[in-house]
């Protein structure tokens, strides 16, 4: 299969590209800087600057991962726009690609798996959250909603769409764990605020497994929660990580300190949702790493 991946150079994308290549698929990767990312991608990847550069090479499937990192900078109004635009523009280009393929009677992609995030649900306290749960209206929700709505336009062209609302992705070499490990390794880790907020998480290998599962299963469409079946609170996460590292986790960070340091972005650390992968499990997807203990033992081992 010929698979077009946006954000293929990223933390999730690199692992996905490796697995797709191993499975014998042909990779079309969209990157803003093809020369810089070439050595992060499997040999033979066709890397071009824009989605629309691939109109002469129609993909059979699309995986849409591109977007400005959510937690890299304070959420100023300008940064919020960048977070939205970077996702909406690339996703809009994918819709335009379908339009152009239709106009030129090119082969249409069969399926698109498009990233979204747990932020779709906003702050849900300790309520159990499935794909049916009504969202709480806040910036993270509005961002994900807009992203999902634009992706939804591919269905007008007969493309099957699966939206993956991703939890915190865990693995070595990037993501949130790369930021958490240094203080925890020094014994300076601890919960954020009261630690009661939920942190849905997923091992990167399982996330990539879920993407491949959704690409292959013709009967699956709509939103899917992309997180392990056993989410934990922030306090549990801190305890489990510290235990795996053989260090104490006695240094809680007060909510007020995070609010002063990060402004509105502190909500990423201080609020959450007890998100469950109800639809993936109903469909028979099996997690290799269902519990945090197992996932961290694999990653840190
Ligand atoms: N990692 C997580 O814990 C997590 C959790 C929930 C949701 N997600 C979502 O899942 C997707 C993949 O996550 P990831 O961790 O692999 O992301 P990532 O490492 O930050 O990579 C995303 C890719 O997007 C491209 N990109 C970055 N800024 C961009 C911009 N301003 N405009 C256009 N493209 C830009 C980059 O590709 P080039 O530089 O090659 O163009 C980058 O490699 C993201 O959309 C993210 O929001 C991730």
């Amino acid at each position: 299969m010929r698979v077009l991946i946006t954000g293929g150079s990223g933390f999730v994308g690199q692992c996905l590209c490796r697995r797709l290549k191993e499975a014998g698929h042909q990779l079309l990767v969209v990157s803003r800087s093809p020369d810089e990312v070439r050595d992060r991608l499997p040999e033979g990847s066709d890397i071009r600057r824009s989605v629309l550069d691939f109109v002469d090479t129609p993909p059979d499937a699309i995986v849409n991962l591109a977007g400005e990192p959510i937690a890299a900078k304070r959420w100023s109004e300008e940064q919020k726009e960048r977070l939205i635009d970077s996702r909406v523009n690339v996703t809009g280009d994918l819709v335009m690609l379908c339009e152009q393929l239709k106009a030129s009677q090119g082969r249409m992609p069969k399926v698109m798996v498009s990233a979204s995030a747990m932020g779709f649900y906003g702050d849900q306290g300790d309520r159990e959250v499935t794909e049916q749960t009504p969202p709480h209206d806040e910036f993270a929700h509005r961002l994900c909603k807009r992203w999902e709505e634009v992706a939804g336009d591919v269905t007008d062209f007969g493309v099957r769409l699966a939206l993956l609302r991703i939890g915190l992705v865990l693995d070595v070499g990037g993501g949130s764990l790369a930021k958490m490990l240094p203080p925890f390794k020094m014994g300076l880790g601890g919960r954020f605020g009261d630690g009661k907020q939920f942190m849905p998480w997923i091992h990167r290998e399982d996330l990539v497994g879920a993407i491949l599962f959704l690409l292959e299963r013709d009967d699956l469409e709509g939103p899917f929660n992309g997180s392990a079946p056993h989410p934990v609170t922030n306090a549990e996460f801190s305890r489990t990580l510290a235990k795996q590292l053989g260090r104490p986790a006695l240094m809680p960070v007060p909510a007020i300190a995070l609010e002063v340091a990060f402004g509105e972005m502190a909500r990423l650390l201080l609020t959450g949702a007890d998100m469950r992968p109800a639809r993936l499990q109903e469909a028979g997807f099996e997690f290799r790493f269902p519990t945090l203990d197992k996932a961290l033992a694999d990653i840190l081992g």
Side-chain angles (χ1 to χ4, degrees):
M1 194 159 70
R2 198 188 267 167
V3 189
L4 185 150
I5 305 118
T6 76
S9 63
F11 180 54
V12 176
Q14 287 177 57
C15 182
L16 172 69
C17 287
R18 198 165 51 239
R19 293 268 296 271
L20 284 167
K21 178 77 181 181
E22 280 164 12
H25 299 296
Q26 188 187 338
L27 306 181
L28 313 179
V29 178
V30 180
S31 169
R32 293 164 302 163
S33 30
D35 293 337
E36 279 170 38
V37 305
R38 198 169 301 282
D39 61 355
R40 287 186 233 160
L41 293 165
E43 225 175 275
S45 303
D46 183 350
I47 314 168
R48 304 187 195 177
R49 242 172 254 284
S50 143
V51 168
L52 295 173
D53 292 343
F54 284 106
V55 75
D56 63 351
T57 322
D60 303 301
I62 298 172
V63 181
N64 181 28
L65 298 171
E68 171 85 6
I70 290 282
K73 292 188 187 147
R74 269 176 89 101
W75 289 353
S76 61
E77 289 310 309
E78 196 185 319
Q79 180 63 5
K80 283 184 182 174
E81 253 173 55
R82 201 172 296 134
L83 291 170
I84 296 174
D85 290 351
S86 61
R87 290 171 170 78
V88 164
N89 294 344
V90 175
T91 310
D93 282 353
L94 291 167
V95 178
M96 219 182 292
L97 176 71
C98 295
E99 257 170 42
Q100 294 193 3
L101 289 172
K102 188 179 176 195
S104 62
Q105 297 183 336
R107 204 177 56 204
M108 200 56 75
K110 287 199 179 66
V111 54
M112 173 156 113
V113 176
S114 198
S116 178
M118 57 190 168
F120 178 86
Y121 299 104
D123 183 16
Q124 294 282 342
D126 56 8
R127 182 195 322 187
E128 203 174 294
V129 171
T130 70
E131 291 84 354
Q132 309 298 326
T133 305
H136 176 254
D137 187 25
E138 56 186 274
F139 172 69
H141 166 66
R142 290 192 290 273
L143 164 64
C144 294
K145 182 166 176 261
R146 183 91 187 85
W147 195 9
E148 293 189 4
E149 277 170 356
V150 178
D153 289 344
V154 299
T155 60
D156 295 346
F157 300 93
V159 178
R160 176 171 65 84
L161 173 67
L163 297 160
L164 202 44
R165 295 176 181 159
I166 303 172
L168 210 61
V169 185
L170 303 180
D171 208 344
V172 280
S176 309
L177 208 50
K179 291 184 188 150
M180 285 182 220
L181 276 177
F184 274 84
K185 278 184 174 165
M186 289 192 286
L188 299 173
R191 62 171 200 265
F192 295 141
D194 65 13
K196 289 182 182 158
Q197 65 279 29
F198 273 88
M199 282 175 68
W201 59 273
I202 185 166
H203 192 303
R204 183 166 58 159
E205 290 294 339
D206 274 337
L207 176 60
V208 168
I211 294 172
L212 300 176
F213 182 79
L214 291 170
L215 285 177
E216 279 159 19
R217 282 279 300 267
D218 287 344
D219 56 324
L220 299 179
E221 62 185 348
F224 293 85
N225 292 343
S227 56
H230 298 286
V232 292
T233 62
N234 170 266
E236 265 175 274
F237 191 97
S238 306
R239 272 197 302 274
T240 311
L241 179 57
K243 191 182 76 188
Q244 290 278 351
L245 292 168
R247 292 279 187 275
L250 302 171
M251 306 283 276
V253 186
I256 186 75
L258 293 168
E259 280 156 3
V260 169
F262 300 120
E264 189 182 349
M265 199 174 80
R267 290 187 67 79
L268 287 180
L269 306 173
L270 294 170
T271 66
D274 182 0
M275 185 169 88
R276 310 290 171 118
R279 293 198 65 216
L280 275 177
Q281 288 195 296
E282 264 162 37
F285 179 73
E286 290 195 13
F287 287 82
R288 277 179 62 202
F289 304 99
T291 62
L292 186 61
D293 260 329
K294 266 198 172 174
L296 289 178
D298 176 71
I299 293 167
L300 302 171

